[in-house]
Coordinates of all heavy atoms in Angstrom, one line a residue:
M1 N 36.4 -69.7 60.8 CA 36.3 -68.2 60.7 C 36.4 -67.7 59.3 O 35.6 -67.0 58.8 CB 37.4 -67.6 61.6 CG 37.2 -66.0 61.7 SD 35.8 -65.5 62.6 CE 36.5 -65.3 64.2
L2 N 37.4 -68.2 58.6 CA 37.6 -67.8 57.2 C 36.4 -68.4 56.3 O 36.0 -67.7 55.4 CB 38.9 -68.3 56.6 CG 40.1 -67.5 57.0 CD1 41.4 -68.2 56.7 CD2 40.1 -66.2 56.3
E3 N 36.0 -69.6 56.6 CA 34.9 -70.1 55.8 C 33.6 -69.3 56.0 O 32.9 -69.1 55.1 CB 34.7 -71.6 56.2 CG 35.5 -72.5 55.4 CD 35.3 -74.0 55.8 OE1 34.2 -74.3 56.2 OE2 36.2 -74.8 55.7
R4 N 33.4 -68.9 57.2 CA 32.2 -68.1 57.5 C 32.2 -66.8 56.7 O 31.2 -66.3 56.2 CB 32.1 -67.8 59.0 CG 30.9 -67.1 59.4 CD 29.6 -68.0 59.4 NE 28.4 -67.2 59.6 CZ 27.4 -67.1 58.7 NH1 27.5 -67.7 57.6 NH2 26.4 -66.4 59.0
K5 N 33.4 -66.2 56.6 CA 33.6 -65.0 55.9 C 33.2 -65.2 54.4 O 32.5 -64.4 53.8 CB 35.1 -64.5 56.0 CG 35.3 -63.2 55.3 CD 36.8 -62.8 55.5 CE 37.1 -61.6 54.6 NZ 38.0 -62.0 53.5
K6 N 33.7 -66.3 53.8 CA 33.4 -66.6 52.4 C 31.9 -66.8 52.3 O 31.3 -66.3 51.3 CB 34.1 -67.9 52.0 CG 35.4 -67.7 51.4 CD 36.0 -69.0 50.9 CE 37.5 -69.0 50.8 NZ 38.1 -70.3 50.7
E7 N 31.3 -67.5 53.2 CA 29.8 -67.7 53.2 C 29.1 -66.4 53.1 O 28.2 -66.2 52.3 CB 29.4 -68.5 54.5 CG 29.1 -69.9 54.2 CD 28.7 -70.6 55.6 OE1 27.8 -70.1 56.2 OE2 29.3 -71.6 55.9
I8 N 29.5 -65.5 54.0 CA 28.8 -64.2 54.0 C 29.0 -63.4 52.8 O 28.1 -62.8 52.2 CB 29.3 -63.4 55.3 CG1 28.7 -64.1 56.5 CG2 28.8 -62.0 55.2 CD1 29.3 -63.5 57.8
E9 N 30.3 -63.5 52.2 CA 30.5 -62.8 51.0 C 29.6 -63.3 49.9 O 29.1 -62.5 49.1 CB 32.0 -63.0 50.6 CG 32.9 -62.0 51.2 CD 34.4 -62.3 50.9 OE1 34.7 -63.4 50.4 OE2 35.2 -61.4 51.1
L10 N 29.4 -64.6 49.9 CA 28.6 -65.2 48.9 C 27.1 -64.8 49.1 O 26.4 -64.4 48.1 CB 28.7 -66.8 49.0 CG 28.3 -67.6 47.8 CD1 29.4 -67.4 46.7 CD2 28.1 -69.1 48.2
E11 N 26.7 -64.8 50.3 CA 25.3 -64.3 50.6 C 25.1 -62.9 50.2 O 24.0 -62.5 49.7 CB 25.0 -64.5 52.1 CG 24.6 -65.9 52.5 CD 24.6 -66.2 54.0 OE1 24.6 -65.2 54.7 OE2 24.7 -67.3 54.4
L12 N 26.0 -62.0 50.5 CA 25.9 -60.6 50.1 C 25.9 -60.5 48.6 O 25.1 -59.7 48.0 CB 27.1 -59.8 50.6 CG 27.1 -59.5 52.1 CD1 28.4 -58.8 52.6 CD2 25.9 -58.5 52.4
A13 N 26.7 -61.3 47.9 CA 26.7 -61.2 46.4 C 25.3 -61.7 45.9 O 24.8 -61.1 45.0 CB 27.8 -62.1 45.9
T14 N 24.8 -62.7 46.5 CA 23.4 -63.2 46.1 C 22.4 -62.2 46.3 O 21.5 -61.9 45.4 CB 23.1 -64.5 46.8 OG1 24.2 -65.4 46.8 CG2 21.8 -65.1 46.3
L15 N 22.4 -61.5 47.5 CA 21.4 -60.5 47.8 C 21.6 -59.3 46.9 O 20.6 -58.8 46.4 CB 21.7 -60.0 49.2 CG 21.0 -60.8 50.3 CD1 21.4 -60.3 51.7 CD2 19.5 -60.7 50.2
A16 N 22.8 -58.9 46.5 CA 23.0 -57.8 45.6 C 22.4 -58.1 44.3 O 21.8 -57.2 43.6 CB 24.5 -57.5 45.6
S17 N 22.6 -59.3 43.8 CA 22.1 -59.7 42.5 C 20.6 -59.8 42.4 O 20.0 -59.6 41.4 CB 22.7 -61.0 42.0 OG 22.3 -62.1 42.8
Q18 N 20.0 -60.1 43.6 CA 18.5 -60.1 43.7 C 17.9 -58.8 43.8 O 16.7 -58.6 43.8 CB 18.1 -61.0 44.9 CG 18.3 -62.5 44.7 CD 18.0 -63.3 46.0 OE1 17.9 -62.7 47.0 NE2 17.9 -64.6 45.8
H19 N 18.8 -57.8 44.0 CA 18.3 -56.4 44.4 C 17.8 -55.7 43.1 O 18.3 -54.6 42.8 CB 19.5 -55.7 45.1 CG 19.0 -54.8 46.1 ND1 18.4 -55.2 47.3 CD2 19.0 -53.4 46.2 CE1 18.0 -54.2 48.0 NE2 18.4 -53.1 47.4
N20 N 16.8 -56.2 42.4 CA 16.3 -55.6 41.3 C 14.8 -55.4 41.4 O 14.0 -56.2 41.0 CB 16.6 -56.4 40.0 CG 18.1 -56.5 39.7 OD1 18.8 -55.5 39.8 ND2 18.5 -57.6 39.4
P21 N 14.3 -54.4 42.1 CA 12.9 -54.2 42.3 C 12.1 -54.1 41.0 O 12.5 -53.3 40.1 CB 12.8 -52.9 43.1 CG 14.1 -52.2 43.0 CD 15.1 -53.3 42.7
D22 N 11.1 -54.9 40.9 CA 10.3 -54.9 39.7 C 9.3 -53.8 39.7 O 8.1 -54.0 40.2 CB 9.6 -56.3 39.6 CG 9.0 -56.5 38.2 OD1 9.2 -55.6 37.3 OD2 8.4 -57.6 38.0
I23 N 9.6 -52.6 39.2 CA 8.7 -51.5 39.2 C 7.6 -51.6 38.3 O 6.5 -51.1 38.5 CB 9.5 -50.2 38.9 CG1 10.8 -50.1 39.7 CG2 8.7 -48.9 39.2 CD1 11.8 -49.2 39.1
L24 N 7.7 -52.4 37.2 CA 6.7 -52.5 36.2 C 5.7 -53.6 36.5 O 4.9 -54.0 35.6 CB 7.3 -52.8 34.9 CG 8.3 -51.6 34.4 CD1 9.0 -52.0 33.1 CD2 7.5 -50.3 34.1
S25 N 5.7 -54.1 37.8 CA 4.7 -55.1 38.2 C 3.3 -54.6 37.9 O 2.9 -53.6 38.4 CB 4.9 -55.5 39.6 OG 3.9 -56.4 40.0
P26 N 2.5 -55.3 37.1 CA 1.1 -54.8 36.7 C 0.1 -54.9 37.9 O -0.8 -54.1 37.9 CB 0.7 -55.8 35.6 CG 1.6 -57.0 35.8 CD 2.8 -56.6 36.5
D27 N 0.2 -55.9 38.8 CA -0.7 -56.1 39.8 C -0.3 -55.2 41.1 O 0.8 -55.5 41.6 CB -0.8 -57.6 40.2 CG -1.9 -57.9 41.1 OD1 -2.4 -56.9 41.8 OD2 -2.3 -59.0 41.2
P28 N -1.2 -54.3 41.5 CA -0.8 -53.5 42.7 C -0.6 -54.3 44.0 O 0.3 -53.9 44.8 CB -2.1 -52.6 42.9 CG -2.9 -52.7 41.6 CD -2.5 -54.0 41.0
S29 N -1.3 -55.4 44.2 CA -1.1 -56.2 45.4 C 0.2 -56.9 45.3 O 0.9 -57.1 46.3 CB -2.3 -57.2 45.5 OG -2.2 -58.2 44.5
D30 N 0.6 -57.2 44.1 CA 1.9 -57.8 43.8 C 3.0 -56.8 44.2 O 4.0 -57.2 44.8 CB 2.1 -58.2 42.4 CG 2.1 -59.7 42.2 OD1 1.5 -60.4 43.1 OD2 2.6 -60.2 41.1
Q31 N 2.8 -55.6 43.9 CA 3.8 -54.6 44.1 C 4.0 -54.4 45.6 O 5.1 -54.3 46.1 CB 3.3 -53.2 43.5 CG 4.3 -52.6 42.7 CD 3.7 -51.4 41.9 OE1 2.6 -51.1 42.0 NE2 4.6 -50.8 41.1
A32 N 2.8 -54.4 46.4 CA 2.9 -54.2 47.8 C 3.7 -55.4 48.5 O 4.5 -55.2 49.3 CB 1.5 -54.1 48.4
A33 N 3.4 -56.5 48.0 CA 4.1 -57.7 48.5 C 5.6 -57.7 48.2 O 6.4 -58.0 49.1 CB 3.5 -59.0 47.9
S34 N 5.9 -57.2 47.0 CA 7.3 -57.2 46.7 C 8.0 -56.0 47.4 O 9.2 -56.1 47.7 CB 7.5 -57.0 45.2 OG 7.3 -55.7 44.8
A35 N 7.3 -55.0 47.8 CA 7.9 -53.9 48.6 C 8.2 -54.3 50.0 O 9.3 -54.0 50.5 CB 6.9 -52.7 48.6
S36 N 7.3 -55.1 50.6 CA 7.6 -55.6 52.0 C 8.7 -56.6 51.9 O 9.6 -56.7 52.8 CB 6.4 -56.1 52.6 OG 5.9 -57.3 52.0
F37 N 8.8 -57.4 50.9 CA 9.9 -58.3 50.7 C 11.2 -57.6 50.6 O 12.2 -58.0 51.1 CB 9.6 -59.2 49.5 CG 10.8 -60.2 49.3 CD1 10.9 -61.3 50.1 CD2 11.7 -60.0 48.3 CE1 11.9 -62.2 49.9 CE2 12.7 -60.8 48.1 CZ 12.9 -62.0 48.9
E38 N 11.1 -56.5 49.9 CA 12.3 -55.6 49.6 C 12.8 -55.1 51.0 O 14.0 -55.2 51.2 CB 11.9 -54.5 48.7 CG 13.1 -53.7 48.1 CD 13.8 -54.5 47.1 OE1 13.4 -55.6 46.7 OE2 14.9 -54.1 46.8
D39 N 11.9 -54.6 51.8 CA 12.3 -54.2 53.1 C 13.0 -55.3 53.9 O 14.0 -55.1 54.6 CB 11.0 -53.7 53.9 CG 10.5 -52.4 53.4 OD1 11.2 -51.7 52.6 OD2 9.4 -52.0 53.8
L40 N 12.4 -56.4 53.8 CA 12.9 -57.6 54.6 C 14.3 -57.9 54.1 O 15.2 -58.1 54.9 CB 12.0 -58.8 54.3 CG 12.1 -59.9 55.3 CD1 11.5 -59.5 56.6 CD2 11.5 -61.2 54.8
A41 N 14.5 -57.8 52.8 CA 15.8 -58.2 52.2 C 16.8 -57.1 52.6 O 18.0 -57.5 52.9 CB 15.7 -58.2 50.7
I42 N 16.4 -55.9 52.7 CA 17.3 -54.8 53.1 C 17.8 -55.0 54.5 O 18.9 -54.9 54.8 CB 16.7 -53.4 52.9 CG1 16.6 -53.1 51.3 CG2 17.5 -52.3 53.6 CD1 15.8 -51.9 51.0
S43 N 16.8 -55.3 55.4 CA 17.2 -55.4 56.8 C 18.1 -56.6 57.0 O 19.0 -56.7 57.8 CB 16.0 -55.5 57.7 OG 15.3 -56.7 57.6
L44 N 17.8 -57.7 56.2 CA 18.6 -58.9 56.3 C 20.0 -58.6 55.8 O 21.0 -59.0 56.4 CB 18.0 -59.9 55.4 CG 18.7 -61.3 55.4 CD1 18.3 -62.0 56.7 CD2 18.2 -62.2 54.3
E45 N 20.1 -57.7 54.8 CA 21.4 -57.4 54.2 C 22.2 -56.6 55.2 O 23.4 -56.8 55.4 CB 21.2 -56.5 52.9 CG 22.4 -56.4 52.1 CD 22.1 -55.7 50.8 OE1 20.9 -55.4 50.5 OE2 23.1 -55.3 50.1
Q46 N 21.5 -55.7 55.9 CA 22.2 -54.9 56.9 C 22.8 -55.7 58.0 O 23.9 -55.5 58.5 CB 21.2 -53.8 57.5 CG 21.2 -52.6 56.7 CD 20.0 -51.6 57.2 OE1 19.2 -52.0 58.0 NE2 20.0 -50.4 56.6
R47 N 21.9 -56.7 58.5 CA 22.4 -57.6 59.6 C 23.6 -58.3 59.1 O 24.6 -58.5 59.8 CB 21.3 -58.6 59.9 CG 20.4 -58.0 61.0 CD 19.9 -59.2 61.9 NE 19.3 -60.2 61.1 CZ 18.0 -60.2 60.7 NH1 17.3 -59.1 61.0 NH2 17.5 -61.2 60.0
Q48 N 23.6 -58.8 57.8 CA 24.7 -59.6 57.3 C 26.0 -58.7 57.2 O 27.1 -59.1 57.4 CB 24.3 -60.2 56.0 CG 23.5 -61.4 56.2 CD 23.1 -62.0 54.8 OE1 22.8 -61.3 53.9 NE2 23.1 -63.3 54.8
R49 N 25.8 -57.5 56.8 CA 26.9 -56.5 56.6 C 27.5 -56.3 58.0 O 28.7 -56.3 58.1 CB 26.4 -55.2 56.1 CG 26.4 -55.2 54.6 CD 26.2 -53.8 54.0 NE 25.7 -53.9 52.7 CZ 26.4 -54.2 51.6 NH1 27.7 -54.4 51.7 NH2 25.9 -54.2 50.4
E50 N 26.7 -56.2 59.0 CA 27.2 -56.0 60.4 C 28.0 -57.2 60.8 O 29.1 -57.0 61.4 CB 26.0 -55.7 61.4 CG 25.6 -54.3 61.3 CD 24.2 -54.1 62.0 OE1 23.8 -54.9 62.8 OE2 23.6 -53.1 61.7
E51 N 27.5 -58.4 60.5 CA 28.2 -59.6 60.9 C 29.5 -59.7 60.1 O 30.5 -60.0 60.7 CB 27.3 -60.8 60.7 CG 27.9 -62.0 61.3 CD 27.1 -63.3 61.0 OE1 26.0 -63.2 60.4 OE2 27.6 -64.4 61.4
Y52 N 29.4 -59.3 58.9 CA 30.6 -59.4 58.0 C 31.7 -58.4 58.5 O 32.8 -58.8 58.6 CB 30.2 -59.0 56.6 CG 31.3 -59.0 55.6 CD1 31.8 -60.2 55.1 CD2 31.8 -57.8 55.1 CE1 32.8 -60.2 54.2 CE2 32.9 -57.9 54.2 CZ 33.4 -59.1 53.7 OH 34.4 -59.1 52.8
D53 N 31.2 -57.2 58.9 CA 32.2 -56.2 59.5 C 32.8 -56.8 60.8 O 34.0 -56.6 61.0 CB 31.4 -54.9 59.9 CG 31.2 -54.0 58.6 OD1 31.8 -54.4 57.6 OD2 30.5 -53.0 58.8
R54 N 32.0 -57.4 61.6 CA 32.5 -58.0 62.9 C 33.6 -59.0 62.6 O 34.7 -59.0 63.2 CB 31.4 -58.7 63.7 CG 30.7 -57.7 64.6 CD 30.3 -58.4 65.9 NE 29.6 -59.7 65.7 CZ 28.3 -59.9 65.4 NH1 27.6 -58.9 65.4 NH2 27.8 -61.1 65.3
I55 N 33.3 -59.9 61.6 CA 34.2 -61.0 61.3 C 35.5 -60.4 60.6 O 36.6 -60.8 60.9 CB 33.5 -62.0 60.3 CG1 32.5 -62.8 61.2 CG2 34.6 -63.0 59.7 CD1 31.6 -63.7 60.3
L56 N 35.3 -59.3 59.8 CA 36.4 -58.7 59.2 C 37.4 -58.1 60.2 O 38.6 -58.2 60.1 CB 35.9 -57.6 58.2 CG 36.7 -57.4 57.0 CD1 36.7 -58.6 56.1 CD2 36.2 -56.2 56.2
K57 N 36.8 -57.5 61.2 CA 37.6 -56.9 62.3 C 38.4 -57.9 63.0 O 39.5 -57.8 63.4 CB 36.7 -56.1 63.3 CG 36.5 -54.6 62.8 CD 35.7 -53.9 63.9 CE 35.2 -52.6 63.3 NZ 34.0 -52.1 64.0
A58 N 37.6 -59.0 63.3 CA 38.3 -60.1 64.0 C 39.4 -60.7 63.2 O 40.5 -61.0 63.8 CB 37.2 -61.2 64.3
L59 N 39.2 -60.8 61.9 CA 40.3 -61.3 61.0 C 41.5 -60.3 61.0 O 42.6 -60.8 61.0 CB 39.8 -61.5 59.6 CG 38.9 -62.7 59.4 CD1 38.2 -62.6 58.0 CD2 39.6 -64.0 59.5
E60 N 41.2 -59.0 61.1 CA 42.3 -58.1 61.1 C 43.1 -58.2 62.4 O 44.3 -58.2 62.4 CB 41.7 -56.6 61.1 CG 41.4 -56.2 59.7 CD 40.7 -54.9 59.7 OE1 40.6 -54.2 60.7 OE2 40.1 -54.5 58.6
M61 N 42.4 -58.5 63.5 CA 43.0 -58.7 64.8 C 43.8 -60.0 64.8 O 44.9 -60.0 65.3 CB 42.0 -58.7 65.9 CG 41.4 -57.3 66.2 SD 39.9 -57.4 67.2 CE 40.5 -57.8 68.8
L62 N 43.3 -60.9 64.1 CA 43.9 -62.2 64.0 C 45.2 -62.1 63.3 O 46.3 -62.6 63.6 CB 43.0 -63.2 63.3 CG 43.4 -64.7 63.4 CD1 43.1 -65.2 64.8 CD2 42.5 -65.5 62.5
A63 N 45.2 -61.3 62.2 CA 46.4 -61.0 61.3 C 47.4 -60.2 62.1 O 48.6 -60.4 62.0 CB 46.0 -60.3 60.1
A64 N 46.9 -59.3 63.0 CA 47.8 -58.5 63.8 C 48.4 -59.2 65.0 O 49.3 -58.8 65.7 CB 47.1 -57.2 64.2
G65 N 47.9 -60.4 65.2 CA 48.3 -61.2 66.3 C 47.7 -60.8 67.7 O 48.2 -61.3 68.7
S66 N 46.7 -60.0 67.6 CA 46.1 -59.5 68.9 C 44.8 -60.1 69.1 O 44.1 -59.7 70.1 CB 46.0 -58.0 68.9 OG 45.2 -57.5 67.8
Y67 N 44.4 -61.1 68.3 CA 43.1 -61.7 68.5 C 43.0 -62.5 69.7 O 43.9 -63.3 70.0 CB 42.7 -62.6 67.3 CG 41.3 -63.2 67.3 CD1 40.2 -62.4 67.2 CD2 41.2 -64.5 67.6 CE1 39.0 -62.9 67.3 CE2 39.9 -65.1 67.7 CZ 38.8 -64.3 67.5 OH 37.6 -64.8 67.6
G68 N 42.0 -62.2 70.5 CA 41.8 -63.0 71.8 C 42.6 -62.5 72.9 O 42.7 -63.2 73.9
I69 N 43.4 -61.4 72.7 CA 44.2 -60.8 73.7 C 43.6 -59.5 74.2 O 43.3 -58.7 73.4 CB 45.7 -60.6 73.2 CG1 46.3 -61.8 72.6 CG2 46.5 -60.0 74.3 CD1 46.6 -62.9 73.5
C70 N 43.5 -59.4 75.5 CA 42.9 -58.2 76.1 C 43.9 -57.0 75.9 O 45.1 -57.1 76.3 CB 42.6 -58.5 77.6 SG 42.1 -57.0 78.5
V71 N 43.3 -55.9 75.4 CA 44.2 -54.7 75.2 C 44.6 -54.1 76.5 O 45.6 -53.3 76.5 CB 43.5 -53.7 74.2 CG1 43.4 -54.3 72.8 CG2 42.2 -53.2 74.8
D72 N 43.9 -54.3 77.5 CA 44.2 -53.6 78.8 C 45.1 -54.4 79.7 O 46.1 -53.9 80.1 CB 42.9 -53.4 79.6 CG 42.1 -52.2 79.0 OD1 42.6 -51.5 78.1 OD2 41.0 -51.9 79.5
C73 N 44.9 -55.7 79.9 CA 45.7 -56.5 80.8 C 46.6 -57.5 80.1 O 47.5 -58.1 80.7 CB 44.9 -57.2 81.9 SG 43.9 -58.6 81.2
G74 N 46.4 -57.6 78.7 CA 47.2 -58.5 78.0 C 46.9 -60.0 78.2 O 47.6 -60.9 77.7
G75 N 45.9 -60.3 78.9 CA 45.5 -61.7 79.2 C 44.6 -62.2 78.1 O 44.2 -61.5 77.2
D76 N 44.4 -63.5 78.1 CA 43.5 -64.1 77.2 C 42.0 -63.7 77.4 O 41.6 -63.6 78.5 CB 43.6 -65.6 77.3 CG 44.9 -66.2 76.8 OD1 45.6 -65.4 76.0 OD2 45.3 -67.3 77.2
I77 N 41.3 -63.5 76.3 CA 39.9 -63.2 76.4 C 39.2 -64.5 76.4 O 39.5 -65.4 75.6 CB 39.4 -62.3 75.2 CG1 40.2 -60.9 75.3 CG2 37.9 -62.1 75.3 CD1 39.9 -60.1 74.0
E78 N 38.2 -64.6 77.3 CA 37.4 -65.9 77.4 C 36.9 -66.3 76.1 O 36.4 -65.5 75.3 CB 36.3 -65.7 78.4 CG 36.7 -65.4 79.8 CD 37.0 -63.9 80.1 OE1 37.0 -63.1 79.1 OE2 37.2 -63.5 81.2
E79 N 37.0 -67.6 75.8 CA 36.5 -68.2 74.5 C 35.0 -68.0 74.3 O 34.6 -67.6 73.2 CB 36.9 -69.7 74.5 CG 37.1 -70.2 73.1 CD 37.6 -71.6 73.1 OE1 38.6 -71.9 73.8 OE2 37.1 -72.4 72.3
K80 N 34.3 -68.1 75.4 CA 32.8 -67.9 75.3 C 32.5 -66.5 74.9 O 31.6 -66.3 74.2 CB 32.2 -68.2 76.7 CG 31.6 -69.6 76.8 CD 30.7 -69.7 78.1 CE 31.5 -69.7 79.4 NZ 30.7 -69.9 80.6
R81 N 33.3 -65.6 75.4 CA 33.1 -64.2 75.1 C 33.4 -63.9 73.6 O 32.7 -63.1 73.0 CB 34.1 -63.3 76.0 CG 33.9 -61.9 75.9 CD 34.6 -61.2 77.1 NE 34.9 -59.8 76.7 CZ 33.9 -58.9 76.5 NH1 32.7 -59.2 76.8 NH2 34.2 -57.7 76.2
L82 N 34.4 -64.6 73.1 CA 34.8 -64.4 71.7 C 33.8 -64.9 70.7 O 33.6 -64.4 69.6 CB 36.2 -65.0 71.4 CG 37.4 -64.2 72.0 CD1 38.6 -65.1 71.8 CD2 37.5 -62.9 71.3
L83 N 33.0 -66.0 71.2 CA 32.0 -66.5 70.4 C 30.8 -65.5 70.2 O 30.2 -65.4 69.2 CB 31.5 -67.8 71.0 CG 32.4 -69.0 70.8 CD1 31.8 -70.2 71.6 CD2 32.6 -69.4 69.4
V84 N 30.6 -64.8 71.3 CA 29.5 -63.8 71.3 C 30.0 -62.5 70.6 O 29.3 -61.9 69.8 CB 28.9 -63.6 72.7 CG1 27.7 -62.6 72.6 CG2 28.6 -64.9 73.4
Y85 N 31.2 -62.1 71.0 CA 31.7 -60.9 70.5 C 33.1 -61.2 69.8 O 34.1 -61.1 70.4 CB 32.0 -59.8 71.6 CG 30.8 -59.5 72.4 CD1 30.6 -60.0 73.7 CD2 29.8 -58.7 71.9 CE1 29.5 -59.7 74.4 CE2 28.7 -58.4 72.6 CZ 28.5 -58.9 73.9 OH 27.4 -58.6 74.7
P86 N 33.0 -61.6 68.5 CA 34.3 -62.0 67.8 C 35.3 -60.9 67.8 O 36.5 -61.2 67.6 CB 33.8 -62.4 66.4 CG 32.4 -62.6 66.5 CD 31.9 -61.7 67.6
N87 N 34.9 -59.7 67.9 CA 35.9 -58.6 67.8 C 36.1 -58.0 69.2 O 36.6 -56.8 69.3 CB 35.4 -57.5 66.8 CG 34.1 -56.9 67.2 OD1 33.3 -57.5 68.0 ND2 33.9 -55.7 66.8
A88 N 35.8 -58.7 70.3 CA 36.1 -58.2 71.6 C 37.5 -57.9 71.8 O 38.4 -58.7 71.4 CB 35.6 -59.2 72.7
S89 N 37.8 -56.8 72.4 CA 39.3 -56.4 72.5 C 39.7 -56.4 74.0 O 40.8 -56.1 74.3 CB 39.6 -55.1 71.9 OG 38.7 -54.1 72.4
R90 N 38.7 -56.7 74.9 CA 39.0 -56.7 76.3 C 38.4 -58.0 76.9 O 37.4 -58.5 76.5 CB 38.4 -55.5 77.0 CG 39.1 -54.2 76.7 CD 38.4 -53.1 77.4 NE 39.2 -51.8 77.1 CZ 38.9 -51.1 76.0 NH1 38.0 -51.5 75.2 NH2 39.7 -50.0 75.8
C91 N 39.1 -58.5 78.0 CA 38.5 -59.6 78.7 C 37.3 -59.0 79.5 O 37.1 -57.8 79.6 CB 39.5 -60.2 79.6 SG 40.0 -59.2 81.0
L92 N 36.5 -59.9 80.1 CA 35.2 -59.5 80.7 C 35.5 -58.5 81.8 O 34.9 -57.5 82.0 CB 34.5 -60.7 81.3 CG 33.1 -60.5 81.6 CD1 32.2 -60.1 80.5 CD2 32.5 -61.8 82.2
A93 N 36.5 -58.8 82.7 CA 36.8 -57.9 83.8 C 37.2 -56.5 83.3 O 36.7 -55.5 83.9 CB 37.9 -58.5 84.6
C94 N 38.1 -56.4 82.3 CA 38.5 -55.1 81.8 C 37.4 -54.4 81.1 O 37.3 -53.2 81.2 CB 39.7 -55.3 80.9 SG 41.2 -55.9 81.8
Q95 N 36.6 -55.2 80.4 CA 35.5 -54.5 79.7 C 34.5 -53.9 80.7 O 34.1 -52.8 80.5 CB 34.7 -55.6 78.9 CG 33.5 -55.0 78.1 CD 34.0 -54.0 77.0 OE1 35.0 -54.2 76.3 NE2 33.2 -52.9 76.8
K96 N 34.3 -54.6 81.8 CA 33.4 -54.0 82.9 C 34.0 -52.8 83.5 O 33.3 -51.7 83.6 CB 33.2 -55.1 84.0 CG 32.0 -56.0 83.7 CD 31.7 -56.9 84.8 CE 30.5 -57.8 84.5 NZ 30.4 -59.0 85.4
A97 N 35.3 -52.8 83.7 CA 36.0 -51.6 84.3 C 35.9 -50.5 83.3 O 35.7 -49.3 83.6 CB 37.4 -52.0 84.6
Y98 N 36.1 -50.8 82.0 CA 36.1 -49.8 80.9 C 34.7 -49.2 80.9 O 34.6 -47.9 80.8 CB 36.5 -50.5 79.6 CG 36.4 -49.6 78.4 CD1 37.4 -48.6 78.2 CD2 35.3 -49.7 77.5 CE1 37.3 -47.8 77.0 CE2 35.2 -48.9 76.4 CZ 36.2 -47.9 76.2 OH 36.1 -47.1 75.1
E99 N 33.7 -50.0 80.9 CA 32.3 -49.4 80.8 C 32.0 -48.6 82.0 O 31.3 -47.5 81.9 CB 31.3 -50.6 80.6 CG 31.2 -51.1 79.2 CD 30.5 -52.4 79.1 OE1 29.8 -52.8 80.1 OE2 30.6 -53.0 78.0
Q100 N 32.5 -48.9 83.2 CA 32.2 -48.2 84.4 C 32.9 -46.8 84.3 O 32.4 -45.8 84.7 CB 32.7 -48.9 85.6 CG 31.6 -49.8 86.1 CD 32.1 -50.8 87.1 OE1 33.2 -50.8 87.5 NE2 31.2 -51.8 87.5
N101 N 34.1 -46.8 83.7 CA 34.8 -45.5 83.6 C 34.2 -44.6 82.6 O 34.2 -43.4 82.7 CB 36.3 -45.8 83.1 CG 37.1 -46.3 84.3 OD1 36.8 -46.0 85.4 ND2 38.2 -47.0 83.9
V102 N 33.6 -45.2 81.5 CA 32.9 -44.4 80.4 C 31.7 -43.8 80.9 O 31.4 -42.6 80.7 CB 32.7 -45.3 79.2 CG1 31.7 -44.6 78.3 CG2 34.0 -45.6 78.5
C103 N 30.9 -44.5 81.7 CA 29.6 -44.0 82.2 C 29.7 -43.0 83.3 O 30.6 -43.0 84.0 CB 28.7 -45.2 82.7 SG 28.3 -46.3 81.3
Ligands
LIG201 ZN1 41.8 -57.7 80.6

């Protein structure tokens, strides 16, 4: 978990340093290509930020000693569920009940 966080921090730093759009590109077709690449880089960056946020939240929960513990019933959250939702705060049963109450 901590290693993945470092990896993402590194990727974000790399993306940030690459974030220098070349406005003075002389070839118009080059410009179009770099613009779409720019879009791609931005969406990639957003996805990574989201993942980074998820991991950060999970790390906070881990530090607080509540990681993997359901906030509703106090039971363990399924490991499979934590792999998909690292910041899950409820076990599957409580999450379903919670969603039903919300809707
Ligand atoms: Zn529960």
Side-chain angles (χ1 to χ4, degrees):
M1 187 68 95
L2 280 167
E3 271 181 32
R4 183 74 187 117
K5 181 179 170 253
K6 266 186 204 162
E7 255 178 54
I8 290 172
E9 274 176 344
L10 203 71
E11 280 168 16
L12 281 173
T14 309
L15 273 173
S17 68
Q18 285 173 347
H19 216 67
N20 295 316
D22 191 1
I23 311 161
L24 298 173
S25 177
D27 189 341
S29 67
D30 251 21
Q31 230 167 3
S34 77
S36 65
F37 177 76
E38 194 70 11
D39 286 348
L40 200 74
I42 288 168
S43 73
L44 187 74
E45 197 177 349
Q46 274 170 350
R47 272 211 307 277
Q48 282 181 318
R49 276 191 200 284
E50 277 164 21
E51 193 185 351
Y52 181 73
D53 280 352
R54 272 215 313 273
I55 291 173
L56 214 62
K57 270 185 198 158
L59 285 170
E60 278 170 16
M61 286 163 75
L62 196 67
S66 61
Y67 183 70
I69 305 290
C70 173
V71 293
D72 281 358
C73 70
D76 290 339
I77 299 172
E78 295 83 352
E79 208 170 313
K80 261 193 288 185
R81 187 166 157 68
L82 284 171
L83 286 175
V84 185
Y85 305 103
N87 61 336
S89 53
R90 287 177 180 85
C91 69
L92 195 59
C94 292
Q95 182 64 40
K96 273 187 181 165
Y98 175 76
E99 279 167 12
Q100 273 166 5
N101 283 335
V102 165
C103 294

